[in-house]
Amino acid sequence: MSPTPTGLNGAMSFDKMICSRCSEGFEPHEKIVNSNGELWHQQCFVCAQCFRPFKDGVFYEFENRKYCEHDFHVLFAPCCGKCGEFVIGRVIKAMNANWHPECFRCEMCTSELADSGFIRNAGRALCHECNAKVKAVGLGKYVCHKCHGIIDDQPLKFRGEVYHPYHFNCTACGVELDSNAREVRSRPGFAANDMNELYCLRCHDKMGIPICGACRRPIEERVVTALGKHWHVEHFVCAKCEKPFFGHRHYEKKGLAYCETHYHQLFGNLCFVCNQVIAGDVFTALNKAWCVHHFACSICDQKMNQKTKFYECDLKPVCKKCYEKLPTELRRRLRRQHEATPKKYPPPTVA
């Protein structure tokens, strides 16, 4: 802007007007810059750092010195601790750094912390909910999905999350629930968790819905009944390998169910040669079991039976013909070893 000089009745004349930067006067028809009451030559109204005119007339002032936007950012504006860009406008100062409000987020769930507040945990900025979860994990406990408080007693699991049981009431009788409450899908045909409801144990038992012996949850589809209990199909598994039976035969022993292989491995007979369950007759010799057609000389593979004479060599059967072909010294050593530690093997039998 160019101020208009006045005469004797005015405020100021050209001979008394000076530039705020160079302290020189102005020519009568020279364009003058007026900024907050201070006058400048156009060539003097420049950035105090780079000495260039202000782009679009925009400048920043600090300690009575004017700077272009770029130099002001470089000299004075803070940099964001996340994106590294200059922070213009609102600055969040936290964790010994400066942040854009949208860049200051929880390091676990990435929710914005500028307005909700945060808690410093092990050098991390966490929202209150995530901090409660971390604290609960350290204590070996759960965090309520509704109030985000630590659950000191048994949690109530509902729709895949855990809660304080007292947040819910029975759908049937309205009583406040405890951790024994049961989750039931209210309408068939809906996806899991879409229309689930909670019932106290008493009301649930009146509904006659079977409870899985493994997960203790209601069974709403196919039911497996075994060992005096009900099971989800995928939860009725072998006590040894934990693989579901899915309708295949199982074997019971002392209140537990086993697949055929592990039942015979633990309590029955597996062939010493093929390591398969011996379904038919069992040939027993040298404290081992064989399929009848697998009991053979370990050298020539000649099939043997309970009437065939054989010898023990390295805990394996050897027929008489192969034994006699062994070096004399080896046979003598085997004989001495056998006499020194006689084995009380029962005679070979077929069961």
Side-chain angles (χ1 to χ4, degrees):
M1 297 179 60
S2 299
T4 302
T6 59
L8 296 176
N9 62 337
M12 184 179 297
S13 60
F14 273 113
D15 57 349
K16 294 184 178 180
M17 295 169 55
I18 59 173
C19 175
S20 296
R21 182 169 184 270
C22 67
S23 299
E24 297 290 334
F26 298 95
E27 297 295 330
H29 300 290
E30 183 179 1
K31 289 186 177 181
I32 303 174
V33 178
N34 186 340
S35 175
N36 296 327
E38 294 182 318
L39 305 179
W40 310 72
H41 293 107
Q42 276 193 317
Q43 65 272 21
C44 291
F45 192 63
V46 294
C47 172
Q49 179 68 18
C50 66
F51 305 110
R52 294 178 181 176
F54 300 114
K55 185 178 180 181
D56 299 326
V58 176
F59 64 89
Y60 295 79
E61 190 165 356
F62 182 74
E63 295 183 347
N64 296 321
R65 303 187 72 184
K66 295 176 174 56
Y67 300 89
C68 65
E69 184 175 15
H70 175 268
D71 288 331
F72 181 80
H73 290 166
V74 171
L75 294 172
F76 308 110
C79 292
C80 178
K82 181 180 180 181
C83 67
E85 297 294 332
F86 295 121
V87 183
I88 306 301
R90 186 183 179 189
V91 181
I92 304 299
K93 294 181 177 293
M95 306 295 289
N96 298 322
N98 300 289
W99 315 80
H100 292 106
E102 63 274 14
C103 288
F104 188 52
R105 296 175 177 269
C106 172
E107 293 189 33
M108 287 184 62
C109 68
T110 70
S111 61
E112 290 190 18
L113 301 174
D115 297 316
S116 62
F118 74 100
I119 297 176
R120 185 168 186 157
N121 186 308
R124 300 180 298 171
L126 302 180
C127 65
H128 293 279
E129 181 178 349
C130 289
N131 181 70
K133 290 181 179 179
V134 171
K135 184 178 179 180
V137 170
L139 298 173
K141 298 182 179 181
Y142 293 97
V143 174
C144 177
H145 187 67
K146 183 174 183 179
C147 69
H148 310 307
I150 295 176
I151 304 175
D152 293 319
D153 301 319
Q154 289 296 319
L156 172 62
K157 295 185 178 181
F158 181 48
R159 296 181 179 176
E161 302 292 349
V162 292
Y163 300 85
H164 289 108
Y166 55 73
H167 289 311
F168 301 92
N169 296 87
C170 175
T171 303
C173 69
V175 68
E176 184 179 287
L177 296 178
D178 57 24
S179 59
N180 293 317
R182 302 297 187 216
E183 181 179 358
V184 178
R185 190 182 306 170
S186 60
R187 298 183 188 178
F190 282 81
N193 298 333
D194 278 355
M195 298 296 295
N196 291 15
E197 295 176 339
L198 287 169
Y199 294 84
C200 66
L201 189 59
R202 181 179 179 181
C203 291
H204 180 270
D205 289 345
K206 291 180 181 178
M207 299 168 69
I209 300 176
I211 299 298
C212 177
C215 68
R216 306 303 304 164
R217 309 305 297 170
I219 306 174
E220 300 174 356
E221 298 177 352
R222 182 181 173 188
V223 180
V224 175
T225 302
L227 306 177
K229 299 179 182 179
H230 302 292
W231 313 82
H232 287 106
V233 175
E234 64 274 15
H235 291 165
F236 186 52
V237 300
C238 171
K240 177 66 176 178
C241 64
E242 299 184 351
K243 292 182 179 179
F245 294 108
F246 290 130
H248 295 293
R249 183 178 180 182
H250 71 276
Y251 297 79
E252 298 181 11
K253 184 75 171 183
K254 296 182 179 181
L256 298 175
Y258 297 88
C259 63
E260 185 177 15
T261 299
H262 288 108
Y263 178 83
H264 286 287
Q265 186 181 72
L266 297 171
F267 313 109
N269 296 301
L270 292 178
C271 177
F272 180 72
V273 174
C274 66
N275 200 38
Q276 298 298 313
V277 176
I278 302 175
D281 293 336
V282 181
F283 194 99
T284 305
L286 303 178
N287 285 343
K288 297 179 178 66
W290 282 266
C291 298
V292 173
H293 57 282
H294 283 161
F295 184 64
C297 172
S298 60
I299 297 178
C300 68
D301 204 30
Q302 179 66 38
K303 299 296 186 290
M304 299 187 294
N305 55 43
Q306 67 271 27
K307 296 181 180 181
T308 305
K309 185 175 181 179
F310 67 91
Y311 298 83
E312 176 194 350
C313 182
D314 293 334
L315 301 179
K316 297 178 182 179
V318 176
C319 67
K320 181 179 179 181
K321 184 176 181 181
C322 290
Y323 182 79
E324 291 177 347
K325 291 181 180 179
L326 295 175
T328 303
E329 180 58 31
L330 176 58
R331 282 183 291 156
R332 186 179 296 114
R333 180 166 57 81
L334 290 173
R335 192 180 303 113
R336 287 198 302 267
Q337 182 180 358
H338 184 75
E339 292 173 352
T341 56
K343 306 290 191 305
K344 295 182 178 180
Y345 295 129
T349 58
V350 177

